Amino acid sequence: MDTLLNPYLNFRDNAKEAMEFYQSVFGGELQTSTFAEYQASEDPAEADKIMHSQLRTEGGMVLMAADTPNSMEYNPGNNFSVSLSGDNEEELRGYWDKLSDGGQTVMPLEKAPWGDTFGMCIDKFGISWLINVAGEAPEGGEDAEDAGETQESKASQ
């Protein structure tokens, strides 16, 4: 089996709501487990918190999340982004529309200097998303996909 890279998001008390939202965006099967189901906390206030959740789409995307226990520090941050990239413009624009609804557009989804269509948004849960639709390679020879990855790397720093 190949090694997989899966984004794992942490929330304070709304992991279930967030993951149900992401399921409405991407479809797929959502599995959730609470702290109570695994007797993972002695704090009754944490019984219904999500200890682990996983969304797996038909297209093979996997997104994981959990609620942060009350005893642990929680710092919602800007130290990560989730990137969606590919060449199916209709699909990626659909994700963009849903993710940006109720959130904040940081950079509109439009033609980028490297030839792709690229946008950045922060969804209503504070998660930063990068959307890159592969396009024509710019003149000068750099592969559009490589340029997009370079821009995504710079944007997430």
Side-chain angles (χ1 to χ4, degrees):
M1 176 181 192
D2 292 335
T3 300
L4 304 174
L5 175 66
N6 299 313
Y8 203 111
L9 309 177
N10 291 296
F11 298 91
R12 174 49 81 191
D13 293 317
N14 60 350
K16 183 175 188 209
E17 179 186 358
M19 291 300 281
E20 287 171 348
F21 168 71
Y22 298 134
Q23 183 182 33
S24 78
V25 172
F26 301 113
E29 182 180 339
L30 177 61
Q31 298 174 334
T32 61
S33 302
T34 64
F35 281 89
E37 288 177 76
Y38 286 94
Q39 296 85 43
S41 175
E42 294 180 20
D43 182 350
E46 294 185 338
D48 293 330
K49 282 187 176 229
I50 300 300
M51 186 186 83
H52 176 72
S53 63
Q54 178 174 302
L55 176 63
R56 182 179 299 276
T57 71
E58 290 182 23
M61 292 188 293
V62 176
L63 183 62
M64 298 177 183
D67 283 316
T68 303
N70 295 337
S71 62
M72 293 176 65
E73 186 176 342
Y74 173 70
N75 293 312
N78 57 3
N79 59 338
F80 68 93
S81 295
V82 181
S83 174
L84 295 173
S85 57
D87 59 6
N88 186 330
E89 185 167 359
E90 181 180 352
E91 178 181 58
L92 289 164
R93 280 192 181 276
Y95 294 152
W96 170 267
D97 291 342
K98 292 175 183 176
L99 290 166
S100 61
D101 185 30
Q104 174 190 355
T105 297
V106 176
M107 180 182 291
L109 184 61
E110 58 190 21
K111 184 87 167 181
W114 59 90
D116 293 355
T117 299
F118 179 79
M120 296 170 52
C121 68
I122 299 171
D123 71 25
K124 63 185 177 182
F125 293 101
I127 304 301
S128 176
W129 293 85
L130 310 173
I131 309 290
N132 193 84
V133 182
E136 303 283 326
E139 290 191 35
E142 185 175 12
D143 182 280
E145 185 176 310
D146 291 341
E149 289 173 5
T150 301
Q151 181 64 22
E152 287 177 12
S153 296
K154 289 179 185 174
S156 64
Q157 292 178 358

